[in-house]
Amino acid sequence: MEQTLMANVRQGGSSNLAFRIAPAATAGGVDQKKFAALQAAFAAGNTAADAGDHDGAIAKFNEALGVMPDCKDCYVNIGFEQNAKRDYPKAIEAFQKALDMDKEHADAATGLGVALFNTQKFAEAKANFEIAVKVNPKSGFAQYQLGMTSLNL
């Protein structure tokens, strides 16, 4: 549903604003029970990751994917945990799934670049770090990794 509303944006003047209204219980087409399950699994995954329990974190992020299969941040976090385990092929697969959903996901591009760098695929790593820097030019980590990768070409 779209509506137009008059609003004062500066004293003495008004402007038309367009906005969309969606009921909170169905915003984005997600039912609240599923959303709560997604949040709980994701939070548990983050807690496990913070504790260094990589396998536990991966299990929880996969649980979240069971609720919301297009959770790109779940794939990114799985990739980070696989990188931490030095299981680079699985990390590459997870980051690629996130990038398939969002080609400009800076964290996915950075994580994929790290996994590719660690498998000596420097040209591919550089391309991903370039994406990350383009999307988020303030990322010092992506900038640094881009420079280090360039030195290895």
Side-chain angles (χ1 to χ4, degrees):
M1 157 196 278
E2 193 167 312
Q3 294 182 349
T4 301
L5 138 80
M6 297 299 286
N8 284 329
V9 285
R10 64 175 192 255
Q11 200 168 17
S14 64
S15 180
N16 290 328
L17 301 176
F19 62 96
R20 295 188 183 268
I21 300 174
T26 60
V30 175
D31 89 23
Q32 292 304 301
K33 276 188 174 182
K34 284 187 176 183
F35 186 70
L38 171 69
Q39 284 184 310
F42 199 88
N46 284 334
T47 299
D50 290 344
D53 179 7
H54 307 301
D55 291 327
I58 291 166
K60 287 299 179 181
F61 293 130
N62 276 318
E63 183 180 319
L65 284 168
V67 176
M68 188 173 138
D70 61 347
C71 176
K72 60 189 166 200
D73 289 327
C74 294
Y75 285 114
V76 170
N77 285 347
I78 289 169
F80 286 144
E81 295 306 308
Q82 296 293 6
N83 265 348
K85 290 175 58 173
R86 297 188 174 152
D87 190 341
Y88 302 119
K90 286 184 181 177
I92 290 168
E93 180 182 341
F95 289 125
Q96 194 56 61
K97 285 180 181 179
L99 286 167
D100 288 345
M101 289 183 241
D102 180 358
K103 303 240 181 280
E104 293 190 339
H105 194 296
D107 291 337
T110 300
L112 180 56
V114 168
L116 292 166
F117 181 92
N118 286 317
T119 56
Q120 311 278 309
K121 296 177 182 172
F122 300 120
E124 292 175 61
K126 182 181 180 209
N128 280 280
F129 291 131
E130 286 171 341
I131 291 168
V133 168
K134 177 184 167 202
V135 174
N136 184 6
K138 293 183 179 182
S139 172
F141 182 76
Q143 296 264 3
Y144 174 79
Q145 292 299 328
L146 177 59
M148 293 304 294
T149 303
S150 296
L151 292 173
N152 283 282
L153 289 175

